[in-house]
Amino acid sequence: MAEITFGILIISDTRSKDSRKDEAGPQLKRLVSDINTDTGKILKGKVIEEKIIPDKEEIIMEYLIKWSDEQKLNVILTSGGTGFSNTDVTPEATKKVINKEAPGIATAMLLSSLQVTPMAVLSRAVCGIRGETLIINLPGSPKALKECLVPIASAIPHAVDLISNKQENIEKVHASNGLTKSKNTNYSHNSPATTPLNLENVAMRLRESPYPMLSVDKALELIKTNIEPQETETVSIWNAHGRILAENVFSLCDLPPFRASIKDGYAVLAEDGKGRRRVLGALKAGNTAMSVSLEPGTCVRINTGAPIPDDATAVVQVEDTKLILKNSDNTEEKEIEILTVPTKGQDIRSIGCDLQKGELIMEAPVKLGAAEVGLLAACGYKEVKVYKVPSVGVLSTGDELEEPGNDLKPGHVYDSNTITLISLLRENGYDPKNLGTVKDDESSMVAAIKNALEKVDVLVTSGSVSMGDRDMLKPVLEHYFNAKIHFGRVNMKPGKPTTFATCIYNGKKKYFMCLPGNPVSATVTSILFVIPLLNEMHGDLSKPIIVKAKLDSSYKLDPRPEYARAILTWKNGTDLPLACSTGNQISSKLFSCKNANALLMLPGKTLTKSAMRPGEVVEAILLNPRTTV
């Protein structure tokens, strides 16, 4: 039996202030490491995390999510906060973070406790699964802990195996209990569901989001930590522009490979100094210097980039010479005068002075621009290894969406999100697939997502992620595709419902960036999250360009940090650009993005600051820096 990893979360206002009063934690540690019955040891557990926290719902959720999603613990045992007191909120916090309930475990604990005291009916314990972690609410009393944990202990290892899809262990348990397993049976919780979600039952919908609201920085961190790098491929340097180099590159030759002239002029012997020189002939780029030999008082006419004769020690530019004698038909120079004193090595590029053979010229990962592919060619490369570009598709959701150009039906709007997002992706070097639109219908959405996952690595959606009765994308992803939702709300305006999820489909990891349906929200969140996601996948380490700017008008602050569209203008004599608002910042008004070249990063409202005034300085993310004026 593999060792099971546990987290112990003690929830108590009193004990969080004075840990010496806690008896539940030590009791749980003893039970986890040494629960025995007549048949032997039941649990073989190791406590990885333990913490005492106050009875605060958001703090409880934070630790349950962190220990499940980041620490990947097998089991989290909470103790306390399951009663009827106003401060008892552990079950509420647990319900908001789990993906599936496990009511049988709670029932078994209740039945066991009822044999000891009828007051056990007042327990409100919740048990369930988040990702690959089993979460069990236990009472706060050290005595009641054992009464509840011992009866369910024998089921915990099997539950962990089921959650983790450890088939060999699962089959052993089923065999020992007289169960048979058909060839095609899959006990894994990762198997996609086929039964409908019954999303039409509006009365039973959630009235509050179960997802904690994360900061933008935390959301970006979760994206980064849950991405697998793309594979590599070898491409011609003609097709390498804009790609990300996947391995270090070393020069295949000396650059230049011969001594070359920096100027148009004359190769001379520096020790001859100034004076007249007999011109032996000419060398131009592409010639060899082997056939020419200099003697004192002679020189060779030479072009920029041409090879230098072996015995020449300087080049004198043509501007520092004077013609003395021509040939009979006036077509060739016979004698010139050097007007300056040349120095040894003057205007000569020595072999390998730019790059030597075997020298590192580019360190991966780096984005290959015009200069970089030119350097590859100069160093002798015909092809180069780069990261594959992730395939991405755009799918818009909503019953109200109408294709631009069609007659607009009552209650409908033209779909602007699809073309906006596709154009934005193209501006950033990607080749997105237009996956069209889909109605807010469960079966239609499942079919559209399946079709998308057959074609792309990353699916970008807009709409159906908020709290409306037709916003079904998150439950559909979890129920039908066993997707893990890494975050479902972000503390920002616009774009609070932005969601990032992953799943395994046909053996390959797939990524979902689910954006709000309002056009501005979709545009802003695609800049903040979609582009960084795609860049991170194939090694593009470029970051947004952030500058400081002065406000030209007042901004009323929102409780959430806001990304306001603005036009930055740079004027002579000013140290910072001036930020001019593009107008009404409501998230449905795409017009506010017109001509915007920056997103102002306005802070959230505080008790001491509710507005920004003209002249105050804020940070701003540049949009399309090449077009900013």
Side-chain angles (χ1 to χ4, degrees):
M1 179 196 301
E3 193 168 55
I4 299 171
T5 58
F6 282 85
I8 294 176
L9 193 62
I10 307 301
I11 301 161
S12 166
D13 286 336
T14 304
R15 284 175 276 178
S16 68
K17 295 174 183 176
D18 186 356
S19 60
R20 293 173 297 180
K21 296 180 180 179
D22 177 48
E23 297 178 7
Q27 168 76 322
L28 269 179
K29 288 183 72 173
R30 287 192 295 271
L31 291 171
V32 162
S33 61
D34 193 25
I35 289 185
N36 293 273
T37 66
D38 295 338
T39 58
K41 198 164 191 174
I42 297 176
L43 288 181
K44 183 183 179 183
K46 181 178 181 181
V47 177
I48 304 298
E49 296 284 355
E50 51 183 317
K51 188 74 177 178
I52 303 175
I53 61 174
D55 290 290
K56 301 294 183 186
E57 190 172 327
E58 64 275 10
I59 299 177
I60 299 170
M61 292 173 63
E62 178 185 346
Y63 277 93
L64 293 179
I65 292 170
K66 181 179 179 181
W67 289 0
S68 299
D69 297 359
E70 297 181 18
Q71 299 294 93
K72 310 288 187 185
L73 299 182
N74 298 134
V75 182
I76 299 174
L77 302 176
T78 72
S79 172
T82 60
F84 277 39
S85 167
N86 287 338
T87 60
D88 290 333
V89 293
T90 303
E92 285 68 33
T94 304
K95 284 182 179 180
K96 289 181 179 180
V97 302
I98 58 176
N99 307 125
K100 299 178 182 178
E101 284 200 46
I105 297 177
T107 302
M109 293 193 299
L110 177 61
L111 292 174
S112 175
S113 297
L114 284 171
Q115 295 177 17
V116 179
T117 172
M119 293 298 113
V121 296
L122 301 181
S123 174
R124 301 186 303 111
V126 169
C127 303
I129 301 164
R130 179 181 176 87
E132 295 189 359
T133 301
L134 176 63
I135 301 173
I136 300 174
N137 291 169
L138 296 167
S141 159
K143 178 177 177 294
L145 283 175
K146 188 169 184 179
E147 294 169 1
C148 290
L149 189 56
V150 171
I152 64 169
S154 61
I156 290 177
H158 187 50
V160 170
D161 287 338
L162 287 168
I163 294 170
S164 303
N165 193 25
K166 294 179 179 177
Q167 291 293 328
E168 182 179 348
N169 293 347
I170 294 169
E171 290 171 17
K172 286 180 181 177
V173 173
H174 280 263
S176 67
N177 285 277
L179 300 175
T180 57
K181 176 175 179 287
S182 67
K183 182 178 180 181
N184 296 319
T185 302
N186 189 343
Y187 297 110
S188 168
H189 80 291
N190 289 323
S191 299
T194 55
T195 54
L197 276 167
N198 192 25
L199 293 170
E200 302 295 329
N201 191 343
V202 177
M204 295 302 292
R205 67 169 168 156
L206 294 173
R207 301 283 166 174
E208 188 176 332
S209 175
Y211 302 98
M213 193 151 59
L214 307 181
S215 68
V216 170
D217 287 342
K218 180 62 177 176
L220 288 170
E221 181 185 331
L222 284 173
I223 289 174
K224 185 174 182 179
T225 56
N226 285 283
I227 282 175
E228 295 178 359
Q230 290 288 92
E231 296 177 351
T232 62
E233 61 180 345
T234 299
V235 299
S236 162
I237 59 171
W238 289 97
N239 298 319
H241 185 267
R243 303 293 295 273
I244 306 299
L245 186 68
E247 63 181 10
N248 294 350
V249 175
F250 302 85
S251 181
L252 300 178
C253 62
D254 290 318
L255 194 63
F258 49 82
R259 294 201 309 153
S261 176
I262 296 175
K263 301 282 183 67
D264 291 325
Y266 300 87
V268 300
L269 299 173
E271 53 269 30
D272 282 352
K274 294 196 296 184
R276 295 190 174 191
R277 301 285 187 278
R278 182 162 54 89
V279 181
L280 299 180
L283 286 172
K284 59 183 181 179
N287 289 161
T288 62
M290 300 293 292
S291 59
V292 180
S293 179
L294 289 181
E295 298 175 356
T298 65
C299 67
V300 174
R301 189 170 68 252
I302 196 164
N303 291 339
T304 301
I308 300 291
D310 292 342
D311 41 14
T313 56
V315 169
V316 177
Q317 64 181 359
V318 68
E319 294 89 339
D320 293 332
T321 66
K322 182 171 69 174
L323 178 64
I324 300 298
L325 183 64
K326 297 181 287 186
N327 65 1
S328 57
D329 59 4
N330 297 322
T331 59
E332 284 290 342
E333 303 165 335
K334 294 188 67 177
E335 189 176 338
I336 62 164
E337 182 178 357
I338 305 295
L339 303 176
T340 60
V341 178
T343 58
K344 191 172 182 179
Q346 174 179 303
D347 287 335
I348 295 175
R349 293 169 63 214
S350 59
I351 295 173
C353 67
D354 292 343
L355 285 170
Q356 295 184 355
K357 184 176 181 179
E359 184 177 343
L360 177 67
I361 59 172
M362 272 180 270
E363 193 169 358
V366 65
K367 192 168 188 176
L368 299 174
E372 286 76 16
V373 294
L375 181 58
L376 288 171
C379 291
Y381 280 88
K382 180 181 180 181
E383 55 189 22
V384 68
K385 185 176 286 187
V386 296
Y387 286 105
K388 289 184 177 179
V389 179
S391 57
V392 56
V394 175
L395 175 69
S396 295
T397 71
D399 293 338
E400 77 282 12
L401 298 181
E402 192 69 62
E403 183 76 16
N406 292 350
D407 292 335
L408 199 58
K409 301 172 186 174
H412 283 221
V413 295
Y414 288 122
D415 170 29
S416 62
N417 282 350
T418 301
I419 191 168
T420 301
L421 294 176
I422 285 177
S423 299
L424 183 63
L425 289 166
R426 285 175 178 164
E427 286 177 359
N428 284 273
Y430 297 98
D431 184 22
K433 289 181 170 59
N434 182 355
L435 300 173
T437 61
V438 61
K439 302 284 187 184
D440 289 321
D441 168 76
E442 188 173 337
S443 59
S444 299
M445 193 168 288
V446 171
I449 294 172
K450 283 183 177 178
N451 172 62
L453 296 183
E454 295 286 346
K455 298 176 179 178
V456 298
D457 301 317
V458 180
L459 176 59
V460 179
T461 67
S462 65
S464 197
V465 288
S466 192
M467 294 297 293
D469 61 273
R470 305 305 294 162
D471 291 329
M472 60 183 68
L473 186 53
K474 291 174 186 174
V476 163
L477 290 178
E478 290 181 313
H479 186 71
Y480 289 98
F481 299 93
N482 293 316
K484 182 172 184 178
I485 295 181
H486 300 284
F487 61 80
R489 287 196 304 165
V490 184
N491 188 27
M492 63 179 294
K493 179 185 179 182
K496 182 172 72 172
T498 303
T499 298
F500 170 56
T502 58
C503 78
I504 303 299
Y505 188 81
N506 289 340
K508 187 174 182 181
K509 192 167 187 178
K510 302 287 185 175
Y511 304 86
F512 302 91
M513 277 305 313
C514 307
L515 313 180
N518 276 323
V520 174
S521 301
T523 302
V524 170
T525 52
S526 65
I527 293 167
L528 292 180
F529 299 114
V530 177
I531 302 304
L533 164 69
L534 294 169
N535 288 351
E536 189 75 34
M537 284 183 70
H538 74 299
D540 186 344
L541 303 182
S542 59
K543 303 294 181 185
I545 298 176
I546 298 177
V547 300
K548 292 185 182 296
K550 284 184 180 179
L551 300 178
D552 81 326
S553 58
S554 296
Y555 284 85
K556 184 179 178 181
L557 297 180
D558 189 85
R560 288 173 281 153
E562 183 173 2
Y563 293 81
R565 282 69 66 202
I567 299 172
L568 301 190
T569 55
W570 279 259
K571 295 184 179 179
N572 292 336
T574 58
D575 55 343
L576 295 175
L578 189 66
C580 305
S581 173
T582 56
N584 191 324
Q585 299 289 300
I586 188 171
S587 60
S588 60
K589 192 171 182 179
L590 189 59
F591 196 82
S592 68
C593 292
K594 179 178 176 286
N595 294 329
N597 59 10
L599 294 176
L600 300 183
M601 302 167 67
L602 302 177
K605 178 181 177 181
T606 65
L607 292 175
T608 57
K609 192 170 186 63
S610 60
M612 299 287 289
R613 305 300 178 191
E616 289 194 72
V617 176
V618 297
E619 290 189 327
I621 300 173
L622 292 187
L623 307 177
N624 298 324
R626 291 195 184 103
T627 63
T628 301
V629 294

